[in-house]
Amino acid sequence: MERTPSTDTARSRLSNALSRLSAALAARVAVDLRALAAFRIGLGALLLADLARRSRWLTAFYTDYGVLPRRALFADYSTTPLPHTLSGEPWAAALLFAVAGAFALALLVGYRTRLMAVVSWLLLLSLHARNPMVLNAGDSLLRMLLFWSVFLPLGARWSVDAARRADARVGTGSDADSAAESGVGPRAESDAGSETPGPSGPAVASVATMAVLLQMLLMYVTNAVHKREGDLWMSGEAVAYVMQADHFTYLLGNHVADFPGLLRALTFLWIGLLFASPLLLLLTGIPRAAIASLFVGMHLGMAVTMRIDLFPIVVVVGFIPFFQTPAWDAAERAVDRLGWSKPLVRWRSRLESRARDVPSLPRRPSLPRRGSFARPTAPEPLDGLRSADLTAGLARGRVLFSTVLPYVFLVLILLSGAQAVDYAEVPDPGEDVLDAVEMDQSWRMFAPDPTHTTRWFVAPGTLENGTERDVLRDATVDFDRPARAEATYPTSRWRKYLTNVYSADNENHRSYLANHLCEEWNRTHETGVENVTVYQLYERTDPYNGTVEAGGRVELIEYDCSGEFVQNE
């Protein structure tokens, strides 16, 4: 049966419409390879900074001599054996920190990039599972960005892998393996997705680039919905209340609280940005870069006003893929105008020269690529397995890893985000998968009601000589409101931990806290402590007139330091 002209026309129109739709989608999810390289460097630097900051309290938070020994972890959180739970000794935790740091450094410089990303993600999962009581939204976002980085060609630019690949002979097994590990080249076409040529190199559009962009967008959209339910946010008063709760604020945050009118304007600006966040995906090029820069500026403002650990910097790194090729070309032109290009070229040349001297790990024998004109070099079939079958199996595995797996997780996180705002439900098997990789999309940062009560802790202990001392801060016992409540916490992770201990769901952990305070004091002081009482104190102040609206103290636990550990009921 012959097709009529009208049928051909309809099919042609449909085909053209689909082509235009596909091109529009590709333009919106495309990420410049320079952005991916900067993203990789940012992730590696964040991992190193995070490990360095956590190592200051390694014994307290990650060993059996701290506030969460493994018996408490297994009783209340997870019994899954992980590298960080195999031993409770400080030396074991320190060794894992060093190993994670080595992999993070290799990721930063782009050496065996995909392998380093996978191992770094697994080690980060293990580290977070070792003490969930000190985690915040920044930890969750870093973990998710690192997960999506596994599927991206992060080593295609500005990396050891790229320098070695450029120096390798075309068509050799070494070149093919290197290209595959970096996510570009003939063997990694499914990893890289479609490529859009640009003045300085291709931009990659794939399900993985779509996922890393949607991951950031999902955080803002769900948080916007949660904030919409909060009266303080919609009335413009939220930031003013947050800034008077000075256990969060530091640096400029200790001064901007005196300007409630400015904070009201910032509240409305932030709410407006949250609801405008879909423009981050709808726009492209310089307009997208402008919106992304507004978000980056707001988070840098958080970094100098609020003590929330690395969260603002994690977000800034997460925004790097939103800066598309026109923004990177503009940046390169600016570098040229400033006269910085020649020093940068010399610096890069020295790094690439050293990269070529990096020893290679042993490589597997090369396999013929489908579509290659090279004669197969594999030996005769072994035990009935032909090299062609092995090649086809590996190809199917690459497709599963680089395309199917990201699609599955992309659907799951979208469902999880919708579930967080009561628009959908994740099937039980999907929930199990998300729980296993810690990718639940509940972004309730300061929503629906922001923190607006200042809280601090005092732990008076009676010493053997009859005197009293605050054993939490090694200071004189003082129940008055401190000038800056933020200064009473050693780090923001201590604040997060103590806040969780105060929660009714973690009452049994108060005994572990008190026992740790006793043991740590007696280990570091000549005069021992006999008993400890832990209090949380609070005060809520009206940010507009400075009057105290509420205040008081709550006793969390009274603990006898003598003898073995006792779990208070």
Side-chain angles (χ1 to χ4, degrees), residues 24-260:
L25 178 61
R28 281 155 180 78
V29 303
V31 179
D32 192 283
L33 290 178
R34 292 164 292 183
L36 291 178
F39 183 56
R40 183 201 74 238
I41 294 169
L43 288 177
L46 278 172
L47 290 172
L48 290 171
D50 183 52
L51 289 167
R53 293 170 67 85
R54 290 177 190 270
S55 65
R56 294 176 296 170
W57 299 96
L58 183 145
T59 300
F61 288 146
Y62 304 105
T63 74
D64 287 346
Y65 303 95
V67 295
L68 190 66
R70 286 175 299 164
R71 63 177 181 273
L73 175 70
F74 295 152
D76 291 338
Y77 290 100
S78 173
T79 58
T80 304
L82 295 167
H84 287 81
T85 62
L86 296 179
S87 173
E89 294 299 319
W91 66 264
L95 178 61
L96 283 170
F97 270 54
V99 170
F103 280 102
L105 181 60
L107 175 65
L108 187 151
V109 301
Y111 176 70
R112 293 300 182 95
T113 308
R114 177 154 294 147
L115 175 62
M116 299 303 112
V118 170
V119 177
S120 293
W121 174 67
L122 291 173
L123 288 173
L124 191 64
L125 268 181
S126 175
L127 176 63
H128 288 179
R130 178 59 185 86
N131 194 339
M133 298 183 74
V134 300
L135 302 181
N136 59 26
D139 298 308
S140 299
L141 183 59
L142 177 58
R143 189 172 59 239
M144 294 174 195
L145 292 178
L146 195 57
F147 171 82
W148 293 118
S149 76
V150 171
F151 306 100
L152 295 168
L154 299 186
R157 294 288 188 275
W158 307 346
S159 66
V160 173
D161 288 343
R164 293 168 64 85
R165 185 170 59 254
D167 202 44
R169 289 179 302 175
V170 176
T172 65
S174 175
D175 184 39
D177 283 344
S178 180
E181 290 204 4
S182 297
V184 295
R187 293 185 56 200
E189 290 175 356
S190 59
D191 285 352
S194 62
E195 294 186 353
T196 304
S200 303
V204 179
S206 69
V207 62
T209 60
M210 181 193 303
V212 76
L213 298 176
L214 283 173
Q215 178 65 78
M216 295 290 293
L217 180 59
L218 194 60
M219 177 178 68
Y220 288 114
V221 171
T222 55
N223 189 243
V225 175
H226 290 315
K227 281 185 167 62
R228 186 175 180 275
E229 300 170 357
D231 293 337
L232 288 178
W233 284 106
M234 301 315 294
S235 65
E237 298 179 339
V239 175
Y241 272 96
V242 170
M243 288 300 166
Q244 63 83 35
D246 65 355
H247 63 291
F248 272 109
T249 64
Y250 78 145
L251 298 179
L252 294 180
N254 295 324
H255 305 286
V256 297
D258 298 330
F259 303 94

Side-chain angles (χ1 to χ4, degrees), residues 442-470:
S442 179
W443 301 102
R444 290 183 173 270
M445 299 88 71
F446 294 97
D449 298 314
T451 297
H452 53 276
T453 301
T454 301
R455 301 181 186 276
W456 68 100
F457 291 79
V458 176
T462 303
L463 306 186
E464 293 173 344
N465 59 10
T467 61
E468 273 198 337
R469 193 78 174 167
D470 185 342

Side-chain angles (χ1 to χ4, degrees), residues 284-306:
T284 60
I286 297 300
R288 174 186 287 188
I291 297 293
S293 297
L294 287 176
F295 277 95
V296 168
M298 293 294 285
H299 282 285
L300 290 178
M302 294 179 193
V304 295
T305 55
M306 302 176 67

